[in-house]
Amino acid sequence: MTIDKQVHPRQPLLPNTVSSCLGILGGGQLGRMFAHAAQAIGYKVAVLEPEAGCPAAQVAEHHVQANYDDEAGMSVLHTLASRVTTEFENVPADSLNYFARDGFVSPAGACVSIAQDRLSEKHFFTRCALNNGVYPAPHWGIATSDDVKSAPDDLLPGILKTVRMGYDGKGQVRVRTREELAQAFAGMNGQHCVLEKMLPLAYEVSVLVARGVDGEAVVYPIAENVHRDGILFTTVVPSPNVSPEIAKKAQAAALDIIAELGYVGVLCIEFFVLDDGTLAVNEMAPRPHNSGHYTIDACVTSQFEQQVRALAQLPLGDVRQHSAAAMLNILGDVWFDTDAATNKETMREPAWDQIMAIPGAHLHLYGKAEARRARKMGHITFVAGTIAEAQKALANACTILGIAAPEQA
Ligand code: ADP
Ligand code: MG
């Protein structure tokens, strides 16, 4: 599959007509929030997702209950919607290509393929870096035990990551020595991996960009992310730590990457800022991203509306942030109460009424029936006049929910 960097005149699919239906592969929370944004403008939404009662199917007009690569299911979706997007990156690229044959797909299968494979992603970033100056971490592909032997010494200590299917810190092992590397690779059951040098991270940021078929591109402010146990914990925007120079460089690199990919839609790129102030590019998600949820409540155009606009080939929206924002992810853990004396666990409903009493709090719950530990159940965005106020509100919510508050607040 080759990248198509050509630009085309927009062919808008206007809302509020009989054919104004947008299709989405995947039925999770990103699909649900996409549906909300699409419906607000006047589109209908059709979801392809095997799971009954999934978050997106609860709000979409049509739910095609089938696997993402099920020919019959795809054909039904295609009859309902001529324009199709995806809400998760592990969707088979072939499914996207299916809809592209006689319809419009955003993002393209070729772009998603690159993002699905950490090695191709790094090769791509390295090529872009010749122009934008922002490189990925030094790395080495590990497909065989010979690759373990030939990996350069200076990549250790490092992180061994599976090339495919990794997310939320899964499929990763930190290794200090070549012996540990060999052991970690042996535990990967033959999956192709990449060894990355462990970088001295000062903090992590992400940059949301969006691009239309006509090549118009927009970039959101720098979001600063804190992870806990490999899962995004908080996002604060604008990033409290980033300097104007680094912000400019990250935004320019993000715009360069999206143009080089010929990408249409919303793309989120994760960067590391190192102790010495150097910027490194980590990975990209070919879709709206958890770190961009704050845009719903704090920006003129949310990342989901932006995805709708790109897919419908409408002009992109204003990315201006009108309020400082701090976003807190709500995991299933907050439904569990552990008795300190007996260590017994009971389930409870979190005190949402108390959360709603916090000024500037916007609660978003995804309609997942069962709360499980580490499962993303919702998020809360706190908007305020200043970052400090938004962070204070977030810390208050942590106290109410029984979560250890972030250090910086
Ligand atoms: P995932 O797809 O699970 O998000 P990432 O590549 O983003 O995988 O890695 C998860 C986290 O691990 C990052 O957010 C960062 O905190 C840490 N990490 C990843 N790669 C490196 C690296 N090369 N050096 C230091 N920390 C890293
Ligand atoms: Mg990541």
Side-chain angles (χ1 to χ4, degrees):
M1 266 180 288
T2 49
I3 288 173
D4 174 12
K5 281 166 57 177
Q6 270 193 324
V7 298
H8 307 276
R10 283 193 275 109
Q11 292 186 310
L13 172 70
L14 298 180
N16 209 33
T17 74
V18 279
S19 57
S20 325
C21 182
L22 303 176
I24 181 153
L25 299 173
Q29 61 266 21
L30 300 176
R32 178 185 176 97
M33 290 183 271
F34 171 87
H36 286 150
Q39 290 166 338
I41 296 174
Y43 291 98
K44 292 192 167 48
V45 176
V47 173
L48 178 69
E49 159 69 47
E51 192 192 316
C54 62
Q58 290 170 27
V59 300
E61 280 80 4
H62 308 280
H63 178 196
V64 183
Q65 208 179 331
N67 281 326
Y68 315 118
D69 56 355
D70 180 282
E71 283 266 351
M74 289 196 293
S75 156
V76 177
L77 185 74
H78 206 16
T79 317
L80 291 164
S82 60
R83 301 201 175 185
V84 176
T85 185
T86 171
E87 62 121 38
F88 73 120
E89 66 232 60
N90 287 324
V91 66
D94 281 347
S95 299
L96 293 172
N97 297 334
Y98 171 94
F99 293 105
R101 277 200 288 274
D102 102 76
F104 175 67
V105 157
S106 135
C111 299
V112 173
S113 291
I114 294 175
Q116 284 173 342
D117 183 302
R118 287 190 197 275
L119 262 180
S120 356
E121 188 175 55
K122 284 191 195 333
H123 290 157
F124 177 75
F125 285 153
T126 306
R127 191 157 62 68
C128 292
L130 301 174
N131 182 41
N132 68 42
V134 183
Y135 286 84
H139 56 274
W140 190 257
I142 308 246
T144 66
S145 49
D146 280 349
D147 298 329
V148 169
K149 289 184 200 122
S150 57
D153 285 334
D154 76 331
L155 296 188
L156 292 164
I159 306 186
L160 184 71
K161 302 180 181 176
T162 56
V163 162
R164 302 184 74 84
M165 294 301 214
Y167 69 99
D168 287 347
K170 293 187 177 69
Q172 297 191 10
V173 185
R174 294 179 179 223
V175 291
R176 281 165 302 182
T177 61
R178 201 171 293 270
E179 290 69 45
E180 285 185 6
L181 172 63
Q183 223 171 38
F185 179 61
M188 295 294 196
N189 298 321
Q191 291 180 87
H192 287 193
C193 293
V194 55
L195 173 67
E196 264 180 63
K197 186 181 174 70
M198 179 75 80
L199 299 176
L201 311 191
Y203 55 96
E204 299 185 47
V205 297
S206 53
V207 181
L208 267 182
V209 269
R211 185 170 171 277
V213 276
D214 56 349
E216 177 197 13
V218 290
V219 57
Y220 283 87
I222 309 293
E224 187 169 323
N225 302 320
V226 175
H227 298 85
R228 263 191 195 167
D229 301 324
I231 303 174
L232 185 65
F233 173 50
T234 61
T235 296
V236 176
V237 200
S239 161
N241 280 307
V242 83
S243 66
E245 295 74 41
I246 296 176
K248 228 170 116 184
K249 193 164 182 183
Q251 287 181 315
L255 285 168
D256 178 56
I257 286 168
I258 200 168
E260 282 302 310
L261 261 181
Y263 185 96
V264 177
V266 171
L267 177 73
C268 183
I269 307 173
E270 294 180 6
F271 294 90
F272 298 142
V273 182
L274 310 188
D275 286 341
D276 67 359
T278 313
L279 197 58
V281 57
N282 177 36
E283 61 172 351
M284 59 184 170
R287 51 173 170 76
H289 189 256
N290 199 163
S291 68
H293 289 356
Y294 82 93
T295 57
I296 299 175
D297 302 303
C299 293
V300 175
T301 310
S302 79
Q303 61 171 348
F304 299 102
E305 179 178 334
Q306 209 71 272
Q307 183 78 347
V308 170
R309 286 169 177 256
L311 185 61
Q313 300 189 16
L314 296 171
L316 297 180
D318 184 353
V319 291
R320 193 163 45 88
Q321 184 181 0
H322 51 68
S323 303
M327 191 273 322
L328 174 69
N329 254 351
I330 306 294
L331 303 182
D333 303 59
V334 300
W335 271 256
F336 291 86
D337 212 6
T338 311
D339 187 293
T342 62
N343 235 1
K344 258 216 163 119
E345 269 186 352
T346 47
M347 298 290 281
R348 56 152 182 212
E349 196 60 26
W352 302 126
D353 53 339
Q354 291 179 43
I355 296 292
M356 300 296 282
I358 300 174
H362 291 274
L363 176 64
H364 300 258
L365 292 172
Y366 306 147
K368 296 186 184 177
E370 191 198 345
R372 289 197 296 265
R373 288 197 181 274
R375 186 179 204 197
K376 289 178 181 172
M377 300 296 288
H379 71 269
I380 314 168
T381 300
F382 302 91
V383 296
T386 64
I387 299 169
E389 283 172 81
Q391 286 176 306
K392 195 157 167 259
L394 186 149
N396 287 343
C398 286
T399 309
I400 293 167
L401 296 171
I403 306 169
E407 282 151 30
Q408 84 269 17

